[in-house]
Amino acid sequence: MKKTFLEILRSFRLSLLLYVLTAVLLFKVVDHLRVDLKTFDYLQDRVDYLNDFAAGKRPFSPYGVKEALRYYEHLLKYFPNTPTIHNAVGFCYYHLGKHDKALKFYKNAIALDKEVFGFYYNVGLIYIRQGKFADAIPVLRQAVAANPGRTLLYPDLVFPLNEAVDNTQSQEGDLRMKFISRAYVQCYKWLLLCYEKTGDNKRVRDTAMAAVSSAQEGKALFYYYAGVADFLLENYEEAAQFLKECLEMDYSFQPAYAYLAQALEKIGRPEAAANLITQQKELEHLGLLSSAGVGLDRKTEPMLFFYPPRRVIFPDGAGFLF
Amino acid sequence: MNSENLSFMKNAWLKKFFGNFLLFGVPVGLWVFSFHSFIYPKLKMFADAQCFYYFTNTYLNHIARGVYPLWSPFTSWGRPEGMIVRSIGECNPFLYLVLLLRMIGISFPLAYIFYLLIYLLVGFAGFYLLSRRLFRHKAVAYFMFNMILFSSMVKNVFNDTDVALMFICSVWFFYFLVAFTQERNKFHFLGLTFSSMIIATTYLPFYFLTTFLVFLAGFLLIYGGDIKRVGIGYWEFVGKNKLFTFFCMVAVGLSLLPGLIWYAEGFRTAEYTINWRGGQGEKKHLAQFSSYQTMNMGGMIGPHDLTIFFSNQDVVAESFHVPMFAMVILLMGMIVPVSRRMLLLFGTSLMLFLISLGDATPVHRFFYDHVFYFRIFRNLQFMLYLYLPIGMLFVGEQMEYLLDASARATLKQKAGMIAWTAVVHLGFLAFLVWMGDVFVSSFAVVIFSFVFFVLYFLGRISRTGTVILAALFVLTALHPQEIMFHMRKKFNDVPQAYAVPVPSREETAPKFSFSRPLRSEYRLHNITRGYGEVEDAPGFEYGRYLRTKWSVFFQNKFNSNAIEDYIRHKFWLYDAVEFIREDEQIDPARIQSSLQAKNNLAFVASQADAGNVMQMEGAVSPRAVPIVENNDAFSIVRFDLNFIRFRTNFPKEKFLVYNDSYQSRWQAFVNNRPARLWRANVAFKGLRLPAGENVVLLRFHHPARMALHLFLIVFFAGVLAYLVWSAVCRTRGPSGSDPDRRDAA
């Protein structure tokens, strides 16, 4: 009997048992939260890379973005309700070319904080890139309806460095505001593009007018869109009015000339139309016309909100900043 | 012996030579290729490796001109150099390979990396020989060699050199320990002595000490019954070789001297401080942490996140990796019965891992509370490179069992083993698929491994042939190659990774300057600040851990903008002295305004005379006078790291302040007669100089101290030469060193 018992015992003397006991020991003895927080602290430079990249200070490195993604995905385990972490994960996926995954995390961020313009902006950007204009419309409408102040409440919005370079004398707060304002303008442009692609000219006109009244920049473009929409809706008087406004604001806006000339002809002012065409040709000859701003700007990038550093203090006084 | 025999022996020798060359040359060649872009076209380094690299150059340049750096006059307004010298292991004879290579015209970057790689290979060779001692099969030892070769050890040479240096001497220590226990001869005892000497002179021998103590405790626990036999064997050896043992003991004692002296100086009422370790707590020694929290500060956890091991993501310099094949063996080994040796290896490795987790487990706290030296070292993640090789030996044990089991298995058992192989490999493949985004080579390793084990269990691969060696090499090397490929790609053309330019010998030779640069004028590369400067720094820099206590006080309590103009001049002449208290109960604001206004009043620490003012004889200048160049009244005669000699010829008595940190080991001589050196203007040196011509010498330590260090360097080289000579004699002798002929331990 004794021998049998020893044999049974010996048959359990396998490495597997050693592994199991080790796993139990590690599970019992190790303070996993502390280990994770230390790891976050240790991996801090991955976050620094991502911020630098988002700010345009460092070039894209798939390794750098992958490492940052690992950091943020790990962080989500502990802070599943922090929208900026979801946004950062989405940001990483976006740059790794996994747009569907990025969408999922951006949408998570929206679900957690419905007031932040930047999250809608990021989702809208992906839809636009994918050509899903109908899907983009509700998101972009929410984006332009969001209060910019709410986005600015996030103190760690990363904005591209070139914005700062252009305005070295400005205060950071002004720069942030300017950055957000431009992003709003961009959202309006995308929205107009979406309506245009879906053939909803009335919406184009209404949105363009809304943009004119709320946006700080790009008004010439919005007048242009309003003018073209009215032209297509055969409201030639209004179209001519808006297109004139457009050219008064920016005489170099080439696409407006043709529409305005046609609108003027439609409302019985062929001389004015002819003059306009002549004026356009002269400006064209001098190289003073451009069509910048119309269509999709391929350089546009999503926004990143640097997850604000947090300090965790354990009862024994140990502190971690991550 | 006829010519036919000679020819046969020659052919056999050549065959063996080429066989070994192929066996080890191919992996080593691949190993070098795996990090070639870190060396060519330009050397790349990260983190602390840059500091060691820079400091090694400066140190060796000084040694080449016969000067051992005890003091650095250039950084932190002057500070002792002892701790920084420790970091490169200045007694290690291999370090001086750099000097030899430079003598034949090789540039420093190349010579340095050559030294590190050669030394690392010496460590890998030690690991192979240790494995040969432990395992019956050459194939397993060869597998171990490839395991260590293709682990992340080499990445640390480019990231934190200390770790690699620590590993090498530890491996050789354990090799000689095992060999001596098995054979008990003079050669192995000498090897044990030499590796102990090297360990004693590493920057922090505590990592090794912890490893050894944990191993010893495990050994006593598991091999309790054999202790007496082993002990008697040792004692018999000592009895037969008293003089030799005595020599070895003296050698180890000598090697402990630099560390012990440095440690003892740390007690000298805290003349030095390590800035950030200070905090508010009570400290008995400068190296001690003020609190357990300070000790555990920062991210110190190593490879706890095993996803790094599999995933195609984190390929940074400091992350660890071992060949993926090790994981396959660990899984295959689940059915391997645990032997005592396996238990010892696994237990030691596990305990060291738990210690390395710091305050994340109660284990380290226990040692911190009960073992004194645990209070003076941190960076516990360095333990990784000591417990990892031990863990590898555990894997080797499992591999050996698997290879042996097949040989004695019945047909039915073999079928069972093949089935087990299929389960493990398919399971592992499924795991890799589930993980997603893993290294592609992981799949290849698992598939090749399956083929290898099936063929082996079917008897198609012999246990002793070259096929098994080639297969083990491929299986081990494959996955690390992909990691290193990504590493190379990641750090390709990253200017931040390029090794900083180092000064030439001529540039390293100390040149005295009467003034320091302002902070705005300081241009030295940020990462190497405090590591072997060859030009004056402003002095406000962080100081890389160590400064004199009073220079830290001066830096912290005085406004740097207010004193920068004062501190930039090294010599000031005064006609009056005010004695102030020797402790910290002084009025920094008053002294600061006096220094800023250049008042003709020096402040000298003297508890007995505190409050008194002493006027030098003769006329008084309205302001303190800085010396800005050599002139008739003051000229520098000679200047080096550890001393300065100058000539003075003042018309009247003067009090001279030399803005180089005060430390009580500095000595002053005026006209060859000892003179009192004061702590002046809070943190600096001051002395009274009589009117007329004087030759003044200020030196740090007695010259015998420098001689001791230089002697130790030569002594270590001598012991290594003796060891190598003994090894050569052994291989030529009748007994040889064939491990197959060893006694059973």
Side-chain angles (χ1 to χ4, degrees), chain B residues 167-196:
Chain B
F167 153 79
I168 295 161
C169 46
S170 305
V171 160
W172 278 100
F173 175 89
F174 278 105
Y175 165 73
F176 283 119
L177 181 69
V178 171
F180 179 71
T181 307
Q182 289 174 339
E183 292 183 28
R184 286 187 296 280
N185 59 36
K186 276 186 174 180
F187 170 69
H188 292 130
F189 195 70
L190 185 66
L192 202 54
T193 304
F194 182 69
S195 46
S196 305

Side-chain angles (χ1 to χ4, degrees), chain A residues 89-240:
Chain A
V89 172
F91 183 86
C92 294
Y93 276 124
Y94 175 85
H95 282 285
L96 291 170
K98 296 179 179 175
H99 288 183
D100 288 337
K101 277 196 164 184
L103 259 183
K104 183 189 152 204
F105 284 95
Y106 285 150
K107 284 180 178 173
N108 289 347
I110 290 174
L112 290 163
D113 192 339
K114 294 185 172 59
E115 299 295 319
V116 181
F117 158 77
F119 301 154
Y120 294 109
Y121 174 94
N122 289 346
V123 173
L125 172 64
I126 291 181
Y127 280 140
I128 294 284
R129 287 259 190 272
Q130 292 178 332
K132 294 179 180 172
F133 301 107
D135 290 337
I137 288 171
V139 177
L140 293 170
R141 283 176 66 88
Q142 282 171 295
V144 295
N147 177 4
R150 181 83 181 104
T151 299
L152 289 169
L153 271 181
Y154 282 81
D156 294 294
L157 167 68
V158 179
F159 56 93
L161 185 68
N162 57 355
E163 297 292 323
V165 172
D166 292 345
N167 298 277
T168 44
Q169 300 302 314
S170 304
Q171 295 299 306
E172 190 183 322
D174 295 342
L175 285 173
R176 293 163 65 86
M177 193 62 228
K178 194 173 176 187
F179 175 62
I180 289 291
S181 299
R182 284 190 185 174
Y184 265 80
V185 169
Q186 184 64 59
C187 272
Y188 272 118
K189 283 190 203 171
W190 287 336
L191 198 52
L192 291 168
L193 186 72
C194 289
Y195 285 135
E196 192 183 63
K197 295 279 183 188
T198 52
D200 192 343
N201 290 320
K202 192 170 179 315
R203 291 270 194 188
V204 172
R205 202 261 319 272
D206 295 346
T207 306
M209 291 320 295
V212 166
S213 59
S214 63
Q216 304 292 318
E217 300 176 27
K219 288 195 179 185
L221 181 75
F222 298 134
Y223 275 121
Y224 163 76
Y225 270 107
V228 172
D230 267 334
F231 181 85
L232 295 172
L233 290 167
E234 299 179 1
N235 300 328
Y236 301 118
E237 285 282 353
E238 286 88 344

Side-chain angles (χ1 to χ4, degrees), chain B residues 251-392:
Chain B
V252 172
L254 280 172
S255 69
L256 287 168
L257 271 181
L260 287 177
I261 291 172
W262 177 241
Y263 186 74
E265 284 177 350
F267 281 117
R268 290 175 57 82
T269 54
E271 275 202 85
Y272 311 131
T273 61
I274 298 180
N275 303 3
W276 62 270
R277 286 193 181 197
Q280 300 299 314
E282 274 292 306
K283 285 174 57 157
K284 290 178 183 162
H285 190 272
L286 76 93
Q288 201 172 313
F289 293 95
S290 58
S291 70
Y292 190 61
Q293 285 74 41
T294 316
M295 201 251 140
N296 277 283
M297 227 165 43
M300 296 169 58
I301 300 296
H304 92 282
D305 184 356
L306 287 177
T307 55
I308 303 175
F309 186 71
F310 301 102
S311 62
N312 181 15
Q313 289 183 5
D314 216 335
V315 287
V316 290
E318 67 267 27
S319 70
F320 96 112
H321 72 258
V322 287
M324 181 68 76
F325 189 47
M327 192 55 68
V328 179
I329 303 297
L330 277 172
L331 293 173
M332 286 287 289
M334 279 195 286
I335 53 159
V336 171
V338 179
S339 65
R340 285 199 298 173
R341 200 157 70 183
M342 284 169 78
L343 202 58
L344 175 62
L345 293 169
F346 188 85
T348 305
S349 198
L350 177 64
M351 179 56 99
L352 294 173
F353 170 65
L354 289 174
I355 292 173
S356 79
L357 293 181
D359 62 354
T361 76
V363 180
H364 179 262
R365 180 73 207 215
F366 173 82
F367 288 110
Y368 181 87
D369 287 339
H370 296 94
V371 183
F372 84 98
Y373 74 82
F374 270 79
R375 289 166 183 266
I376 52 178
F377 79 107
R378 61 190 286 272
N379 282 327
L380 298 170
Q381 73 274 16
F382 286 0
M383 302 290 295
L384 169 73
Y385 288 91
L386 292 177
Y387 68 72
L388 205 65
I390 300 173
M392 283 181 190

Side-chain angles (χ1 to χ4, degrees), chain A residues 19 31 39 42 63 70 316, chain B residues 293 304 314 318 330 360 486:
Chain A
Y19 298 170
D31 181 342
T39 307
Y42 181 69
Y63 297 105
R70 189 176 137 249
D316 64 5
Chain B
Q293 285 74 41
H304 92 282
D314 216 335
E318 67 267 27
L330 277 172
H486 288 294

Side-chain angles (χ1 to χ4, degrees), chain B residues 478-618:
Chain B
L478 203 58
H479 161 250
Q481 290 312 306
E482 191 181 351
I483 296 176
M484 292 306 285
F485 165 76
H486 288 294
M487 275 283 288
R488 292 197 302 267
K489 209 168 145 193
K490 179 174 176 179
F491 292 109
N492 200 22
D493 294 329
V494 177
Q496 298 94 314
Y498 291 141
V500 290
V502 290
S504 67
R505 272 200 193 146
E506 293 69 35
E507 286 166 334
T508 308
K511 293 158 202 74
F512 184 80
S513 166
F514 282 94
S515 59
R516 298 188 167 91
L518 298 173
R519 281 167 295 172
S520 56
E521 298 165 348
Y522 191 39
R523 292 286 174 268
L524 187 66
H525 198 296
N526 192 35
I527 203 159
T528 53
R529 286 183 184 184
Y531 268 85
E533 268 98 335
V534 295
E535 290 172 6
D536 284 305
F540 296 94
E541 54 278 356
Y542 170 53
R544 287 281 173 178
Y545 305 125
L546 192 79
R547 294 184 74 124
T548 63
K549 173 191 166 181
W550 287 105
S551 83
V552 172
F553 182 85
F554 192 69
Q555 187 184 18
N556 292 345
K557 301 284 180 188
F558 288 67
N559 182 309
S560 51
N561 293 326
I563 58 172
E564 192 165 24
D565 196 37
Y566 162 74
I567 201 70
R568 72 177 310 199
H569 296 292
K570 290 192 188 162
F571 284 104
W572 286 88
L573 290 171
Y574 294 93
D575 293 306
V577 164
E578 180 184 329
F579 294 100
I580 55 172
R581 291 167 65 99
E582 285 180 358
D583 54 26
E584 294 177 4
Q585 303 303 312
I586 56 173
D587 182 358
R590 189 172 69 85
I591 297 172
Q592 180 181 299
S593 63
S594 178
L595 295 177
Q596 197 175 7
K598 301 181 178 62
N599 290 345
N600 193 351
L601 179 69
F603 297 89
V604 171
S606 170
Q607 204 69 19
D609 301 316
N612 297 340
V613 174
M614 183 177 70
Q615 200 73 40
M616 303 292 134
E617 286 177 12

Side-chain angles (χ1 to χ4, degrees), chain A:
Chain A
M1 180 66 189
K2 190 182 172 187
K3 194 179 173 187
T4 317
F5 178 72
L6 277 176
E7 274 172 1
I8 293 169
L9 205 63
R10 185 166 292 176
S11 68
F12 279 104
R13 208 191 65 188
L14 301 177
S15 296
L16 175 64
L17 184 64
L18 207 57
Y19 298 170
V20 171
L21 290 175
T22 305
V24 172
L25 178 77
L26 293 179
F27 184 74
K28 285 280 174 197
V29 170
V30 176
D31 181 342
H32 296 276
L33 174 63
R34 198 176 291 246
V35 169
D36 270 353
L37 293 180
K38 274 170 175 271
T39 307
F40 291 135
D41 191 30
Y42 181 69
L43 297 175
Q44 193 61 45
D45 60 343
R46 278 67 160 175
V47 178
D48 295 342
Y49 165 75
L50 198 69
N51 291 331
D52 284 353
F53 163 62
K57 294 178 192 168
R58 289 167 78 175
F60 172 69
S61 151
Y63 297 105
V65 176
K66 275 185 176 183
E67 285 159 12
L69 173 63
R70 189 176 137 249
Y71 175 91
Y72 277 118
E73 280 193 317
H74 208 52
L75 202 61
L76 268 185
K77 279 201 307 185
Y78 292 98
F79 303 98
N81 296 322
T82 306
T84 46
I85 303 179
H86 285 275
N87 185 70
V89 172
F91 183 86
C92 294
Y93 276 124
Y94 175 85
H95 282 285
L96 291 170
K98 296 179 179 175
H99 288 183
D100 288 337
K101 277 196 164 184
L103 259 183
K104 183 189 152 204
F105 284 95
Y106 285 150
K107 284 180 178 173
N108 289 347
I110 290 174
L112 290 163
D113 192 339
K114 294 185 172 59
E115 299 295 319
V116 181
F117 158 77
F119 301 154
Y120 294 109
Y121 174 94
N122 289 346
V123 173
L125 172 64
I126 291 181
Y127 280 140
I128 294 284
R129 287 259 190 272
Q130 292 178 332
K132 294 179 180 172
F133 301 107
D135 290 337
I137 288 171
V139 177
L140 293 170
R141 283 176 66 88
Q142 282 171 295
V144 295
N147 177 4
R150 181 83 181 104
T151 299
L152 289 169
L153 271 181
Y154 282 81
D156 294 294
L157 167 68
V158 179
F159 56 93
L161 185 68
N162 57 355
E163 297 292 323
V165 172
D166 292 345
N167 298 277
T168 44
Q169 300 302 314
S170 304
Q171 295 299 306
E172 190 183 322
D174 295 342
L175 285 173
R176 293 163 65 86
M177 193 62 228
K178 194 173 176 187
F179 175 62
I180 289 291
S181 299
R182 284 190 185 174
Y184 265 80
V185 169
Q186 184 64 59
C187 272
Y188 272 118
K189 283 190 203 171
W190 287 336
L191 198 52
L192 291 168
L193 186 72
C194 289
Y195 285 135
E196 192 183 63
K197 295 279 183 188
T198 52
D200 192 343
N201 290 320
K202 192 170 179 315
R203 291 270 194 188
V204 172
R205 202 261 319 272
D206 295 346
T207 306
M209 291 320 295
V212 166
S213 59
S214 63
Q216 304 292 318
E217 300 176 27
K219 288 195 179 185
L221 181 75
F222 298 134
Y223 275 121
Y224 163 76
Y225 270 107
V228 172
D230 267 334
F231 181 85
L232 295 172
L233 290 167
E234 299 179 1
N235 300 328
Y236 301 118
E237 285 282 353
E238 286 88 344
Q241 193 58 39
F242 289 142
L243 291 164
K244 260 189 205 169
E245 291 275 3
C246 168
L247 289 176
E248 272 170 25
M249 285 186 162
D250 184 358
Y251 71 90
S252 69
F253 201 85
Q254 191 248 3
Y257 284 92
Y259 278 109
L260 180 56
Q262 288 181 54
L264 287 172
E265 277 188 3
K266 294 277 184 189
I267 58 173
R269 295 175 61 191
E271 314 83 34
N275 284 342
L276 196 68
I277 298 296
T278 313
Q279 191 186 344
Q280 182 193 5
K281 281 181 181 166
E282 280 171 10
L283 288 169
E284 221 162 33
H285 183 67
L286 293 168
L288 294 174
L289 296 185
S290 89
S291 58
V294 178
L296 178 61
D297 180 5
R298 292 280 162 197
K299 285 181 185 167
T300 312
E301 297 291 3
M303 284 188 199
L304 174 69
F305 297 83
F306 170 43
Y307 180 64
R310 300 230 171 143
R311 195 167 185 85
V312 172
I313 307 290
F314 283 85
D316 64 5
F320 298 101
L321 188 71
F322 65 93

